[in-house]
Amino acid sequence: MATDLRDFSRSLPMALMRARERVMREFRPLLAEHDLSEQQWRTLRALAATQAPIEVAEIAERTFLLGPSVSRILGNLESRGLIERQTVATDQRRAAISLSAKGRALVERIAPESESRYADIEQRFGTERLAELYLLLDELALIEETTDRPTTRR
Amino acid sequence: MATDLRDFSRSLPMALMRARERVMREFRPLLAEHDLSEQQWRTLRALAATQAPIEVAEIAERTFLLGPSVSRILGNLESRGLIERQTVATDQRRAAISLSAKGRALVERIAPESESRYADIEQRFGTERLAELYLLLDELALIEETTDRPTTRR
DNA sequence: TATTGTTATACTCTATAACTATA
DNA sequence: TATAGTTATAGAGTATAACAATA
């Protein structure tokens, strides 16, 4: 007798994806207007959120992107004059990345519209429920690793 | 004076993605063992969840994939003997897709391990909180479209 | 003419490995 | 030898358009 799978609608990854898709549907057209992919925007935001320049590996971690992806994205953003690199004096391998004036201006141009759409969502969904949702999502993201699960049965 | 963006940690898409990444980290190795991408697994699950065969467009809708992606995925799954196609008698354009015996067997082989990992997450996160999370995610996915937002300011 | 599904195309991201240049 | 970042490569998904077969 086989174990049944939960119903498809009770798949946690699917539920998370559906919700994310719904939210992104509000933001994608705005990003498209500025020729930005989601990942490029995540990178710009990560840079906008920090005072001090940050290194490539740090960007990868904060944006949930892989090193090579960040590398390519930075190449693109640099060619558009949106970011700047500075080699770290004490370690020539490292690069300190920051928004250029143009990049900061772009983020600031997008911000009001982005915030307005976010406010729409918050208003329709409810401020309290949104706060509760953030709480649950943060806690879910922080649950601990299962200790040592074998990759194959033997 | 520019509008500031919310802090990066209060980006709803990011919070949803972080949570989803955390959950998928539990399931990806299992899928990899069976040479299945997330999207292929979504497709198999959608098929496993239904009694009657379903059409390509229906699969696309239920799995949140695009038509061309589903087309390619079905081609792959068919070449592995996991699904079957039957042309709909009343409309030769349509194809009715279903799991083959082999496909059903694969889903049933994966199901116990998948359920076990899900149970781990539920146990660590809390049954009640998980139920609350589903409720909020479902509601978020269903908030209504903003009526008519212009794509460019003029 | 409209619709279902496939094919074509261009782009992007994922994932891993190999490589360069530092350290 | 190890590390930071880039480049190379293969594979897959996204998105849109064009297309064939059928309605």
Side-chain angles (χ1 to χ4, degrees), chain A residues 6 10 18 22 25 33 45 115 117 120 124 129 134 138-139 144-146 149 151, chain B residues 6 10 25 33 45 64 115 117 120 124 129 134 138-139 143-146 149 151:
Chain A
R6 275 153 293 121
R10 294 302 75 179
R18 255 197 309 272
R22 180 62 196 85
R25 202 157 74 225
E33 278 180 52
R45 268 196 88 158
E115 285 302 314
R117 295 186 186 213
D120 271 1
R124 277 176 283 164
R129 291 202 301 174
Y134 273 124
D138 288 351
E139 285 170 352
E144 280 174 29
E145 212 68 44
T146 307
R149 183 188 287 276
T151 50
Chain B
R6 274 155 293 121
R10 295 300 77 178
R25 200 158 75 226
E33 277 179 53
R45 268 196 90 161
F64 278 79
E115 284 303 314
R117 294 183 187 214
D120 272 0
R124 277 176 284 162
R129 290 202 301 173
Y134 272 125
D138 289 349
E139 286 170 353
I143 60 173
E144 279 174 31
E145 211 68 44
T146 307
R149 183 187 286 278
T151 51

Side-chain angles (χ1 to χ4, degrees), chain B residues 69-120:
Chain B
S69 297
V70 174
S71 218
R72 198 177 356 80
I73 288 166
L74 290 178
N76 174 295
L77 297 178
E78 189 175 27
S79 76
R80 294 158 72 174
L82 300 173
I83 62 144
E84 282 163 2
R85 301 177 198 245
Q86 239 186 318
T87 306
V88 173
T90 57
D91 185 342
Q92 305 260 305
R93 291 172 306 184
R94 297 167 194 272
I97 317 290
S98 54
L99 285 182
S100 67
K102 187 178 168 192
R104 196 164 295 280
L106 177 61
V107 170
E108 280 168 11
R109 202 155 64 253
I110 295 175
E113 184 67 16
S114 170
E115 284 303 314
S116 145
R117 294 183 187 214
Y118 183 82
D120 272 0

Side-chain angles (χ1 to χ4, degrees), chain B residues 7-152:
Chain B
D7 187 85
F8 202 24
S9 69
R10 295 300 77 178
S11 156
L12 189 49
M14 276 298 287
L16 289 163
M17 163 177 273
R18 255 196 310 271
R20 184 166 193 278
E21 270 308 301
R22 179 63 195 84
V23 173
M24 282 311 298
R25 200 158 75 226
E26 299 286 325
F27 291 104
R28 274 209 199 91
L30 174 61
L31 298 185
E33 277 179 53
H34 296 276
D35 269 307
L36 291 170
S37 69
E38 279 180 50
Q39 291 81 354
Q40 290 167 343
W41 177 239
R42 290 220 297 276
T43 303
L44 290 177
R45 268 196 90 161
L47 290 168
T50 169
Q51 283 298 107
I54 50 180
E55 294 172 16
V56 175
E58 183 65 28
I59 294 175
E61 199 171 324
R62 296 193 192 178
T63 56
F64 278 79
L65 295 166
L66 292 180
S69 297
V70 174
S71 218
R72 198 177 356 80
I73 288 166
L74 290 178
N76 174 295
L77 297 178
E78 189 175 27
S79 76
R80 294 158 72 174
L82 300 173
I83 62 144
E84 282 163 2
R85 301 177 198 245
Q86 239 186 318
T87 306
V88 173
T90 57
D91 185 342
Q92 305 260 305
R93 291 172 306 184
R94 297 167 194 272
I97 317 290
S98 54
L99 285 182
S100 67
K102 187 178 168 192
R104 196 164 295 280
L106 177 61
V107 170
E108 280 168 11
R109 202 155 64 253
I110 295 175
E113 184 67 16
S114 170
E115 284 303 314
S116 145
R117 294 183 187 214
Y118 183 82
D120 272 0
I121 292 172
E122 179 167 0
Q123 190 243 308
R124 277 176 284 162
F125 187 61
T127 301
E128 258 177 63
R129 290 202 301 173
L130 190 56
E132 174 68 10
L133 177 57
Y134 272 125
L135 197 67
L136 290 170
L137 289 174
D138 289 349
E139 286 170 353
L140 179 56
L142 289 174
I143 60 173
E144 279 174 31
E145 211 68 44
T146 307
T147 35
D148 197 38
R149 183 187 286 278
T151 51
T152 45

